[in-house]
Amino acid sequence: MQVAVPHVGLRLTSLAAKVLLVASLSVAAFGARADDVADVQRLLSAGKNAEALQKADQFLSSKPRDPMMRFLRGISLSQAGRSAEAITAFTKLTEDFPELPEPFNNLAVLYAQQGQYDKARTALEMAIRTNPSYATAYENLGDVYAKLASQAYSKALQIDTRSAVAPKLAMIRDLFPKERNSMVAAAGQTPSPAPAPSPVTPPSATPAPVTPPPAVKPPPAPPAAKPAPAPAPEPKSAPTEPKADHRAKDVEAAVRAWADAWGRKDLKDYFAAYARDFDGGKSRKAWEEERRDRINGKRSISVRISNLRIEVDGNKAVARFRQDYKADSLSVSSGKRLDLVQRGNSWVIVKESTGS
């Protein structure tokens, strides 16, 4: 989710190095004052967790339900090494604001840091259920699955050293090089260095000589043929507007109609904007039920599109834009991408992602 405020990040080492604990939630989405949030973020970036926590607690004393400051407070606790309190803070956030995926993700990283990979997996699956386009949660879930696999493979080798899982365990070790020795020790083996790559012989600087073929006497030239008359020039047709321009306008109209139906809470037109094979991360029926509950659960919805860019390739198109979404007290601004295909005379959505 792209936001206009600075991000606070914490790199964890219990998963692969690419896993980050980030505050990627906008101030507008959470209601906290921008200057208070910026102050806490600066303190966290400077490693002044005690001061950040004090300022967050001071803010929350008058606004105890403010989700953004509660989120930053959870990060402050985790950076201070107070993992149990951080887990409690993020758990409460998921209970009070189940529509937000980021607290689930951060909760999962804390669980993974403690080696509680089953709990981490459950939290990440909740994050993905909340936002099927949350790429960070998918990436973290892959790392958690890899860790669970390494534990299972190591256990298999402990039980039966003749098991055929050793190559699979080696593959997992490649993903987690820092934990290689501990994983091998658990399997009762001695770690060995990775094999060196096979040398590659460079090509010779001087090419081998090539023996030319024997000369062949050319056949006699055929008699010259009379030149054929030049074809008459075809009449030039009047210039026409490229078809791609027409298609781009049709795609734009489809995207704006989708946003308008969403804002009007017109579920019939909203669902009609999606292809029957739309990839929503679950069955079409389950996806529609979830969207219906969320849309009907809001008193009012506003969806504004800006910076719309459209690429058309045959019967496929990609629309990228900035989406400003407001529903009751929630306000989120993020990058959005819609993949569409042409079905008959209509353009329908087959894939939807955030932050693209």
Side-chain angles (χ1 to χ4, degrees):
M1 184 181 296
Q2 301 176 8
V3 296
V5 296
H7 290 182
V8 175
L10 172 65
R11 185 176 294 274
L12 300 180
T13 57
S14 61
L15 295 180
K18 60 190 174 182
V19 179
L20 295 176
L21 181 64
V22 293
S24 59
L25 305 173
S26 69
V27 175
F30 281 88
R33 287 171 49 195
D35 51 351
D36 292 305
V37 168
D39 288 343
V40 175
Q41 288 180 326
R42 278 193 294 268
L43 291 171
L44 288 173
S45 298
K48 299 179 179 180
N49 296 316
E51 296 178 38
L53 183 59
Q54 182 180 4
K55 188 170 184 63
D57 286 336
Q58 183 180 0
F59 181 94
L60 291 170
S61 64
S62 59
K63 297 181 180 178
R65 283 186 55 81
D66 187 274
M68 181 60 174
M69 196 59 76
R70 289 168 62 184
F71 190 83
L72 293 177
R73 183 177 185 275
I75 291 177
S76 178
L77 290 169
S78 62
Q79 289 190 181
R82 297 162 61 176
S83 298
E85 295 173 77
I87 287 175
T88 299
F90 287 122
T91 300
K92 286 294 295 178
L93 264 177
T94 62
E95 293 170 354
D96 294 342
F97 299 92
E99 72 275 12
L100 300 175
E102 289 84 357
F104 284 110
N105 177 75
N106 287 25
L107 184 60
V109 177
L110 287 168
Y111 280 139
Q113 191 178 37
Q114 297 182 348
Q116 301 185 63
Y117 298 113
D118 284 327
K119 288 186 176 181
R121 179 189 60 193
T122 300
L124 288 169
E125 289 173 348
M126 288 298 299
I128 292 169
R129 186 179 303 173
T130 301
N131 181 4
S133 302
Y134 193 11
T136 300
Y138 280 108
E139 186 175 3
N140 289 351
L141 184 59
D143 289 339
V144 168
Y145 279 139
K147 293 292 294 186
L148 289 169
S150 74
Q151 293 177 344
Y153 292 150
S154 296
K155 187 65 176 179
L157 282 177
Q158 284 179 330
I159 297 172
D160 183 2
T161 57
R162 296 170 299 175
S163 174
V165 303
K168 300 177 183 179
L169 183 58
M171 181 179 66
I172 298 296
R173 290 201 298 264
D174 289 340
L175 291 175
F176 300 95
K178 289 185 179 180
E179 300 177 4
R180 178 180 179 183
N181 289 349
S182 62
M183 290 163 58
V184 174
Q189 300 178 357
T190 301
S192 58
S198 302
V200 179
T201 305
S204 173
T206 305
V210 179
T211 304
V216 179
K217 184 177 180 181
K226 294 183 179 180
E234 296 182 1
K236 295 183 178 180
S237 57
T240 58
E241 186 180 4
K243 292 183 178 180
D245 289 351
H246 288 297
R247 292 197 298 268
K249 291 179 180 179
D250 292 340
V251 173
E252 178 179 356
V255 171
R256 296 193 181 280
W258 160 80
D260 178 67
W262 188 3
R264 290 185 289 106
K265 301 172 63 175
D266 186 334
L267 293 175
K268 180 181 178 181
D269 288 350
Y270 177 77
F271 289 139
Y274 292 86
R276 294 304 304 175
D277 56 349
F278 168 71
D279 182 9
K282 57 190 67 177
S283 70
R284 175 71 183 216
K285 181 179 179 181
W287 174 79
E288 284 193 6
E289 289 177 354
E290 181 180 274
R291 295 303 299 157
R292 183 178 291 106
D293 291 342
R294 289 196 178 185
I295 292 174
N296 287 334
K298 302 293 188 297
R299 291 190 301 273
S300 63
I301 296 177
S302 171
V303 182
R304 188 171 66 85
I305 290 176
S306 59
N307 300 330
L308 177 59
R309 292 166 294 141
I310 295 173
E311 300 172 9
V312 180
D313 183 11
N315 67 338
K316 298 180 179 180
V318 174
R320 294 182 175 87
F321 51 91
R322 169 65 52 179
Q323 175 181 289
D324 294 310
Y325 171 84
K326 294 181 180 180
D328 300 342
S329 60
L330 180 66
S331 178
V332 180
S333 179
S334 62
K336 196 69 172 280
R337 167 176 170 155
L338 296 179
D339 290 69
L340 303 95
V341 296
Q342 188 175 22
R343 300 279 169 83
N345 295 325
S346 302
W347 286 90
V348 289
I349 303 167
V350 292
K351 188 176 180 181
E352 180 178 0
S353 53
T354 302
S356 302

